[in-house]
Amino acid sequence: MSGEHEHFIDKVDLEARRRAAKVIYEKFAPVIKDVLAGRPPKLVIPKRTLANTVFDPERGILVLGEEMLEREFLDLGESRRFMQTLLMAAIIYQSLIENEYPTIRDLYYKGKHTIVYRDLRGRRQEENTWDEQKESDAVIQDVEVFTGLFREDMLILSKEKGKVVGNMRIRSGNDVIDLSKLGHGAYAIESTADLIEFIDVDAEFVLVVEKDAVFQQLHRAGFWRKYRAILVTGSGQPDRATRRFVRRLHDEYNLPVYVITDSDPYGWYIYFVYKVGSINLSYESERLATPKARFLGVQMSDVFGYGSKKPYLSDSERKKFIIKATDRDVKRAKELLKNYPWIYKNPLWKREIEIFLKKKAKLEIEAIASKGIKFFAFKYIPEKIETGDWIQ
Amino acid sequence: MARRRRTSSVTEERYKSRSVAEMIAKHGEFAGFQNPTRALYQTIRELVENSLDATDTKKILPWIHISIKEESRNSVNGARPWYIVTVEDNGVGIPVTVMAQAFGKVLFSSKYVIKQTRGMFGLGVKAVTIYAQQTTGSPIEVYSSTAESQYVYMMKIKIDMKNNMPKVLEKGDWAKKAAWRGTRVRVKIEGDWKKAKSKIIEYVKRTAIIAPYAEIIFETPDGTIYYYPRTTRKMPEPPKEAKPHPHGVNVEDLREIIASSKARTLKELLVSEFQSVGEKTALEFLSKFGFDPDMNPKELLKREKEGELVKLVEALSQFKFRAPKSDYLSPLGRDIIIEGLTRMFSPEWVDAVTRPPKSYKGHPFIVEVGMAYGGAIKPVDEPVLLRYANKIPLLYEEREDVSYKVLKSINWKNYNVEFPAPLIVLIHIASTKVPYKGLGKESISETPELESEIRNAVQEVARRLKSYLIKKEREEEAMRKAEALAKYIPEIAWSLAVLSKPPDSWTPPTPEEVNMFKEKLIDIVAEKVRVVGPGGEEVDMKKLVKRVVDSVELE
Ligand SMILES: Nc1ncnc2c1ncn2[C@@H]1O[C@H](COP(=O)(O)OP(=O)(O)OP(=O)(O)O)[C@@H](O)[C@H]1O
Ligand SMILES: [Mg+2]
């Protein structure tokens, strides 16, 4: 590890690089040994297919199954991917050693070459190492599962989406940051959430809201101060860092996590990403998912009432705020009910979705908020937490 | 019901005898002279085939010069053009004593023997003479000299149709200055070059295909000269003359044989005048059918013995004699077929087979099949068929021909050939008696023995083609595989070089380090992807893989 600017870089980063580089070096050593011995090289990688994604009911998360994939160079169906995996690994390895902070887009450009060659008939042929970023992103995932390292562990950065405020202090790099002293702003959760050190946390629970606008409203209304909450938003679909951050708060401080999203299949999906993990990136769940996260709202029963439960909205409000569900929403809801055991085995979820399918109506969080932020922050949320009106 | 007698007016029949020459003159179509187009084509054929019979069947490497010139004349409007056709060869020549008859008497031939020649009827050139006489009124002109002769003789000959006798209009002789030997025939006929052109050019080309040992020059009326040089000196063995096989004679044949034979007993007759009959066989045969071996065969020619003669012929055709000999057949042979197809079509693969002799009705025959595939051959929707009989190319009536029918029934997919495909199939039938459908010798009838033998031959060569195509397919697949892997080697080698150095002492890989991994990977690929070429030779994969790897540039 060298570099004249190294002394500006904080130790945490350098340590992380050293660890990751060592893992990569050791993981690829057998492949190199094979080649040097004249043996056809191969990579044994856990399969990232849907068929090899299983729900671990004990831990409540999606994980990769036992199935392994042998990616052999000499197998024509795999040789291109073999080349790509090695190329990506080499670029990442070199970046780690040379103190680079590539994003996944940078990696895409760094490795995108056109292989120009003459075939055996002497014709000129061309092939790109990869064509779209989608292709190189998938290769990064292969490197992740092959090495057991997450991209963040390999100092690959991505756009920061998550924000957090609350009574807590953290160390990021060489600096200590007090997350309760950020004014109207918030701390943007860094890509490498594992490199954040929690110094002290003084809170009762974590409240995750789907939308940034709602986050700002609650922040300014002083919600987190009043209820001693850590307030987090993933600004829509949460990135990995936000999910890891929430999970760490839950694990390390035993804080209950409540999630508020829109009341529609897309909102539910976001909640499940926090809770279970996303189905096509199940290998991350082990570290990113928070299985005990609670869906606080907005529930269908908050809108329409259920049994003895009274709705939070009056008839006229309801008329004003609810939106008609689209065919796609309905289809998606039916799929959820059919395909995912953690949904159809949960009677509360079944109830939620059945109301939705019956009413064919959805509702955005803003609707509840527009009834008045005071209602939302100081009645709706605390009441539901207090009465345990959530789904887990 | 009462019977009523039918009354009819009987006109007197007028009887008339006609000579064979008159018959040909009247029915040109029998000989292939049905119209000016066919006539020009047929004229070339008759003359060229006679020239080839006078050369290769006599162990002479042929040199043949063909020329067609249009005669300029002040013709009546709309009259057909006349052509002067000249064919010259370096063959054995014609003795002056028979020259007039050879060209001027229908059914006069030197080829009425049991032996495979192109000519067989004794008609061909006379049909030309008659046609010239009918259309331009001019005689056929022949120059010829044999090796022994001191002179070159010339005759201008017409035919006296009524008597089927030659009329010599003019003759001459010149003392030879050099050792010239051969024949030049010149004839002026009506024709239609424009329409006949493509067939005639094709005919000469096909002649050249199976005669790579011949030098052929062909001048067309357009001034184009087609020149087919000799590409080999190897010639097919000339046919030997044979005695008839007992299965191949009819009553008249037998009568003729007995009449001309010196044999004094029936047994002696069988042994000396027939092939495939020894003393033992003769005795066994005669006793089986109750003939007296010591009987004088001439007895059978007597009128009261007519029944005996017929019985003998029937017995001969029933008895199981040894199969007819085939050394009076002259197949082309595998080498010549391969040479001919190669030089004309430059295929990527060619092979041929000469099947063992078989017989039908006492006539031996040999089927030969050659196939050429790929290379310069253009893919078409069905195999291109080149038909030959006794070394004569057959161009007309393709769909009538037994070979076409056999070919049509072959399921080429079984031989890994998917049409359109670049496939040429040459089929040659050699026999002392080719079962032509007509005197024009254009197509061969569906004789079962012939048909099954053609099928066998086609299948035999097709199987070899198949194994070539399979090997080629395998080779191509292996090549594609080698290529598909080789192109990634530079990227992988670089990646491995990067990953091979421990993090603490890492430096960017040097070209040597990258090369070392390249070499290793090339070895691994070359080891795995083994290729055996279609000829059975091991392909140097390492070289091929390296070639692709070295060609890679990263942009
Ligand atoms: N160019 C030639 N050189 C030597 N002899 C020839 C030549 N042309 C013709 N002859 C002789 O003339 C004879 C008659 O020829 P013609 O073409 O009429 O009959 P053929 O070849 O015997 O049989 P076919 O009717 O089948 O052609 C031949 O048998 C041959 O002996
Ligand atoms: Mg002839």
Side-chain angles (χ1 to χ4, degrees):
Chain A
M1 300 242 176
S2 59
E4 47 185 306
H5 307 296
E6 201 172 289
H7 51 277
F8 292 115
I9 302 170
D10 58 76
K11 256 182 48 207
V12 183
D13 265 16
L14 290 177
E15 279 299 314
R17 284 175 185 284
R18 202 158 283 144
R19 270 197 313 272
K22 192 159 171 275
V23 171
I24 296 178
Y25 176 73
E26 280 165 5
K27 265 293 195 180
F28 281 93
V31 181
I32 286 158
K33 214 170 133 194
D34 277 347
V35 173
L36 291 178
R39 284 190 297 269
K42 64 176 181 215
L43 301 168
V44 182
I45 306 178
K47 270 196 192 160
R48 287 197 292 104
T49 55
L50 208 56
N52 193 37
T53 301
V54 289
F55 181 66
D56 180 345
E58 208 137 287
R59 290 188 292 168
I61 53 172
L62 284 170
V63 290
L64 282 187
E66 305 279 281
E67 276 178 64
M68 297 299 244
L69 152 88
E70 292 208 345
R71 181 159 294 158
E72 286 180 65
F73 169 48
L74 291 184
D75 176 349
L76 277 196
E78 295 281 350
S79 54
R80 176 176 163 84
R81 203 56 184 264
F82 179 88
M83 174 277 291
Q84 291 175 330
T85 312
L86 277 166
L87 177 61
M88 184 57 86
I91 293 171
I92 293 172
Y93 186 62
Q94 191 176 10
S95 303
L96 282 170
I97 289 165
E98 296 187 331
N99 291 329
E100 304 265 353
Y101 294 94
T103 61
I104 53 175
R105 187 125 191 100
D106 293 337
L107 293 173
Y108 163 68
Y109 281 121
K110 267 197 174 169
K112 183 173 183 277
H113 311 145
T114 303
I115 303 172
V116 183
Y117 66 99
R118 298 219 164 257
D119 68 15
L120 290 168
R121 293 222 169 99
R123 288 172 308 204
R124 188 176 182 276
Q125 304 280 4
E126 279 191 21
E127 184 178 323
N128 288 339
T129 44
W130 38 69
D131 291 308
E132 302 164 46
Q133 193 183 326
K134 240 170 68 196
E135 211 180 344
S136 66
D137 284 356
V139 177
I140 293 172
Q141 289 168 12
D142 284 344
V143 175
E144 289 182 290
V145 290
F146 179 68
T147 58
L149 294 168
F150 285 136
R151 60 191 65 178
E152 299 78 24
D153 299 333
M154 300 185 279
L155 279 297
I156 296 164
L157 305 185
S158 38
K159 185 174 181 292
E160 292 166 350
K161 274 179 89 186
K163 283 157 68 168
V164 54
V165 284
N167 265 327
M168 65 184 287
R169 286 188 309 139
I170 60 169
R171 192 192 317 276
S172 171
N174 290 332
D175 303 317
V176 173
I177 304 161
D178 189 336
L179 301 194
S180 64
K181 295 202 162 59
L182 298 169
H184 293 154
Y187 172 71
I189 302 168
E190 63 178 75
S191 300
T192 50
D194 271 306
L195 300 187
I196 296 171
E197 186 189 333
F198 293 156
I199 299 172
D200 48 48
V201 176
D202 178 21
E204 300 271 327
F205 62 93
V206 178
L207 182 71
V208 180
V209 290
E210 175 186 344
K211 288 181 173 161
D212 182 56
V214 180
F215 173 88
Q216 289 182 45
Q217 289 169 334
L218 289 174
H219 182 16
R220 289 188 177 224
F223 173 86
W224 59 268
R225 271 189 218 282
K226 174 149 190 210
Y227 296 104
R228 299 207 8 251
I230 306 289
L231 188 61
V232 175
T233 182
S235 312
Q237 171 87 269
D239 65 8
R240 299 152 55 106
T242 308
R243 290 160 62 202
R244 179 65 187 151
F245 191 89
V246 170
R247 161 74 177 270
R248 281 189 59 199
L249 281 174
H250 176 267
D251 277 10
E252 291 166 37
Y253 293 92
N254 231 333
L255 298 180
V257 172
Y258 299 99
V259 181
I260 297 186
T261 70
D262 283 345
S263 188
D264 61 24
Y266 187 69
W268 303 334
Y269 179 75
I270 286 177
Y271 160 70
F272 282 114
V273 170
Y274 280 107
K275 178 186 162 79
V276 184
S278 76
I279 195 108
N280 45 8
L281 293 171
S282 56
Y283 66 94
E284 316 165 322
S285 301
E286 220 151 318
R287 283 169 64 187
L288 302 185
T290 309
K292 293 214 172 100
R294 296 160 176 174
F295 180 67
L296 193 66
V298 177
Q299 295 182 41
M300 281 288 149
S301 57
D302 297 341
V303 182
F304 296 102
Y306 185 85
S308 61
K309 178 175 165 179
K310 288 215 175 63
Y312 280 93
L313 296 181
S314 66
D315 281 354
S316 62
E317 282 166 341
R318 196 156 54 226
K319 280 218 180 74
K320 209 161 115 199
F321 297 133
I322 61 171
I323 310 169
K324 208 175 164 312
T326 62
D327 290 347
R328 261 187 68 196
D329 289 331
V330 172
K331 195 173 154 245
R332 182 95 186 93
K334 283 183 178 157
E335 273 169 20
L336 290 175
L337 204 52
K338 195 170 134 234
N339 296 337
Y340 305 111
W342 57 91
I343 294 178
Y344 62 70
K345 283 196 179 151
N346 184 328
L348 291 178
W349 270 114
K350 263 183 85 170
R351 186 189 76 188
E352 261 308 278
I353 295 173
E354 272 156 11
I355 299 175
F356 170 82
L357 288 176
K358 205 170 110 201
K359 303 281 184 188
K360 296 220 168 27
K362 58 183 184 178
L363 188 115
E364 298 187 318
I365 332 174
E366 284 93 329
I368 295 275
S370 22
K371 197 177 146 103
I373 190 67
K374 284 207 187 73
F375 160 77
F376 184 56
F378 304 115
K379 176 165 167 66
Y380 177 78
I381 298 173
E383 193 175 290
K384 280 176 69 75
I385 291 177
E386 224 157 275
T387 58
D389 186 12
W390 68 73
I391 308 176
Q392 186 178 303
Chain B
M1 214 187 257
R3 277 199 197 172
R4 217 170 330 139
R5 180 162 285 180
R6 245 245 249 41
T7 53
S8 63
S9 66
V10 182
T11 46
E12 192 135 341
E13 300 275 5
R14 277 186 290 146
Y15 294 92
K16 190 182 164 192
S17 115
R18 180 175 267 172
S19 84
V20 61
E22 284 176 304
M23 161 12 212
I24 294 300
K26 196 103 188 139
H27 298 287
E29 70 276 10
F30 286 170
F33 288 77
Q34 50 267 58
N35 58 52
T37 307
R38 284 294 288 274
L40 186 55
Y41 170 77
Q42 197 68 24
T43 299
I44 296 293
R45 270 196 57 177
E46 296 298 350
L47 299 185
V48 169
E49 281 156 26
N50 282 350
S51 286
L52 283 166
D53 274 345
T55 46
D56 69 0
T57 43
K58 302 289 182 344
K59 277 201 186 263
I60 298 168
L61 284 168
W63 175 94
I64 294 170
H65 187 147
I66 308 157
S67 142
I68 308 175
K69 292 223 155 63
E70 190 173 339
E71 159 108 328
S72 50
R73 61 190 182 108
N74 292 329
S75 63
V76 193
N77 241 358
R80 289 193 198 282
W82 289 359
Y83 295 92
I84 298 166
V85 177
T86 313
V87 175
E88 181 177 344
D89 62 59
N90 62 341
V92 288
I94 307 154
V96 66
T97 47
V98 296
M99 191 187 261
Q101 284 167 296
F103 291 84
K105 182 175 166 50
V106 179
L107 306 190
F108 182 91
S109 171
S110 61
K111 301 168 196 168
Y112 293 151
V113 287
I114 300 178
K115 167 168 157 174
Q116 177 202 322
T117 48
R118 294 169 179 84
M120 64 191 278
F121 300 128
L123 167 67
V125 79
K126 274 75 77 175
V128 176
T129 309
I130 291 169
Y131 185 72
Q133 228 164 298
Q134 287 178 320
T135 58
T136 69
S138 53
I140 195 163
E141 179 190 290
V142 189
Y143 286 81
S144 189
S145 183
T146 58
E148 312 80 50
S149 173
Q150 315 276 18
Y151 296 89
V152 175
Y153 297 95
M154 184 281 282
M155 280 183 190
K156 290 189 181 172
I157 303 160
K158 276 194 177 180
I159 298 179
D160 166 359
M161 301 286 196
K162 250 206 169 57
N163 300 310
N164 185 23
M165 286 302 286
K167 274 195 300 195
V168 179
L169 305 186
E170 214 182 305
K171 57 173 150 186
D173 50 65
W174 296 267
K176 275 203 278 193
K177 291 196 188 82
W180 186 76
R181 178 208 58 209
T183 303
R184 195 182 88 170
V185 180
R186 216 169 91 104
V187 67
K188 192 193 296 182
I189 56 166
E190 188 182 286
D192 190 337
W193 166 251
K194 272 207 192 77
K195 285 203 192 133
K197 179 177 172 172
S198 65
K199 280 279 198 262
I200 294 178
I201 290 171
E202 183 65 17
Y203 170 81
V204 176
K205 179 180 167 187
R206 290 204 189 174
T207 301
I209 289 172
I210 55 155
Y213 49 83
E215 181 176 355
I216 301 173
I217 303 152
F218 172 33
E219 285 180 62
T220 70
D222 314 330
T224 313
I225 295 177
Y226 292 86
Y227 176 57
Y228 298 102
R230 179 175 294 134
T231 60
T232 173
R233 298 182 71 80
K234 190 180 150 103
M235 276 204 292
E237 259 318 291
K240 294 194 184 73
E241 202 179 312
K243 293 174 195 158
H245 187 273
H247 288 172
V249 294
N250 57 32
V251 179
E252 284 312 307
D253 295 336
L254 186 58
R255 201 192 289 283
E256 206 178 294
I257 290 167
I258 295 170
S260 62
S261 174
K262 292 193 186 77
R264 273 162 306 173
T265 67
L266 209 45
K267 187 188 87 182
E268 216 182 300
L269 180 90
L270 291 180
V271 174
S272 64
E273 301 296 338
F274 289 89
Q275 60 163 294
S276 307
V277 188
E279 299 248 346
K280 222 180 108 203
T281 316
L283 285 173
E284 193 187 321
F285 164 75
L286 291 169
S287 74
K288 179 169 180 198
F289 290 94
F291 289 99
D292 174 9
D294 297 322
M295 165 190 183
N296 183 348
K298 296 273 193 298
E299 288 283 305
L300 288 169
L301 296 180
K302 291 188 180 145
R303 205 139 29 114
E304 64 272 20
K305 290 279 166 72
E306 183 73 35
E308 287 281 290
L309 190 68
V310 173
K311 199 184 137 201
L312 180 55
V313 171
E314 278 170 355
L316 282 172
S317 73
Q318 277 170 32
F319 190 76
K320 254 196 159 331
F321 291 100
R322 250 182 293 126
K325 282 203 286 191
S326 58
D327 51 356
Y328 41 93
L329 291 182
S330 170
L332 295 161
R334 182 165 179 264
D335 294 353
I336 284 176
I337 297 176
I338 289 175
E339 168 67 24
L341 288 172
T342 305
R343 86 99 167 254
M344 201 61 78
F345 301 109
S346 314
E348 64 177 63
W349 175 90
V350 60
D351 205 346
V353 64
T354 299
R355 296 276 302 173
K358 288 269 151 59
S359 67
Y360 77 96
K361 296 186 189 150
H363 310 291
F365 68 92
I366 287 178
V367 172
E368 297 182 282
V369 167
M371 284 186 202
Y373 184 92
I377 302 170
K378 298 240 151 42
V380 283
D381 287 332
E382 51 174 27
V384 173
L385 171 60
L386 308 179
R387 291 176 297 138
Y388 294 89
N390 285 352
K391 300 180 191 150
I392 302 174
L394 309 182
L395 266 70
Y396 284 97
E397 300 169 16
E398 180 180 77
R399 269 144 217 267
E400 315 297 312
D401 196 287
V402 60
S403 297
Y404 179 83
K405 291 188 177 158
V406 170
L407 223 50
K408 195 82 195 156
S409 73
I410 297 279
N411 185 356
W412 289 99
K413 282 202 179 116
N414 293 345
Y415 300 96
N416 292 30
V417 180
E418 292 265 4
F419 283 94
L423 177 61
I424 291 173
V425 180
L426 181 154
I427 300 180
H428 179 220
I429 292 156
S431 176
T432 47
K433 186 167 186 297
V434 174
Y436 291 114
K437 283 191 169 165
L439 294 176
K441 302 176 187 158
E442 284 300 351
S443 61
I444 298 173
S445 3
E446 285 136 79
T447 318
E449 293 89 339
L450 218 57
E451 196 176 322
S452 90
E453 206 34 31
I454 293 171
R455 187 179 309 282
N456 290 340
V458 168
Q459 286 172 343
E460 186 175 340
V461 186
R463 275 196 296 273
R464 293 186 213 159
L465 173 61
K466 177 181 182 171
S467 75
Y468 167 78
L469 290 175
I470 288 172
K471 274 192 203 133
K472 183 180 151 175
E473 172 74 18
R474 253 193 242 131
E475 187 197 340
E476 275 177 355
E477 205 187 292
M479 293 283 196
R480 274 197 299 275
K481 181 163 187 186
E483 208 171 86
L485 297 173
K487 68 186 173 198
Y488 296 138
I489 286 182
E491 288 282 7
I492 297 175
W494 177 83
S495 305
L496 289 173
V498 167
L499 292 165
S500 69
K501 301 177 161 202
D504 303 319
S505 55
W506 194 87
T507 50
T510 62
E512 291 73 36
E513 287 167 329
V514 176
N515 267 335
M516 195 266 296
F517 280 106
K518 262 192 206 172
E519 293 297 328
K520 290 279 178 197
L521 289 164
I522 290 172
D523 282 344
I524 288 170
V525 171
E527 176 66 23
K528 172 80 184 200
V529 189
R530 279 256 173 83
V531 178
V532 178
E537 70 286 354
E538 181 107 8
V539 174
D540 185 352
M541 274 328 274
K542 196 167 166 182
K543 217 170 90 192
L544 291 182
V545 174
K546 208 167 148 48
R547 198 164 87 206
V548 176
V549 172
D550 289 343
S551 80
V552 172
E553 285 166 42
L554 300 177
E555 288 179 355

